[in-house]
Amino acid sequence: MSQKPINYLHLSTLVAVAILVGTELVGASWAAGWALGGLFQLDPLVSRALEILFSIAGLIGLYFFMRTAIRNEPIRG
C-alpha cells in the first residue's frame, strides 16, 4: 500500500507552530512556578519542584495542541 507524499508546506507550518507555542507554553509555565515560589517565599527546592511540575504541565498542553494541529493539517496528503 503506497503512502501519500509529504506535504512540506504543512510540515514547515507545524514545526513553526510547535516552536512558537512550545516556547510560550513551557516558558510561561516555568515562569509561573518561579513567580509562585518567590511570591510565597518558598524553599528553593520547593520552588524548583513547582517549576518542573508546571513545565511538565506545559509540555502536556503542547502535546495535546500539536495532536489537534496535526489532525487539522495533516503532514501527508
Side-chain angles (χ1 to χ4, degrees):
M1 186 161 76
S2 65
Q3 292 183 347
K4 296 179 183 177
I6 293 176
N7 186 337
Y8 288 104
L9 181 62
H10 288 188
L11 179 64
S12 66
T13 301
L14 289 170
V15 168
V17 165
I19 292 169
L20 177 67
V21 174
T23 302
E24 292 290 330
L25 274 176
V26 175
S29 58
W30 189 281
W34 171 80
L36 286 175
L39 181 66
F40 295 118
Q41 297 178 353
L42 299 174
D43 187 62
L45 185 62
V46 175
S47 182
R48 298 292 181 256
L50 276 177
E51 292 172 13
I52 291 170
L53 181 69
F54 284 7
S55 64
I56 289 171
L59 288 171
I60 291 170
L62 176 63
Y63 168 75
F64 285 113
F65 178 82
M66 287 306 298
R67 194 172 72 169
T68 304
I70 291 171
R71 191 177 314 132
N72 288 314
E73 190 159 341
I75 295 172
R76 293 195 181 271

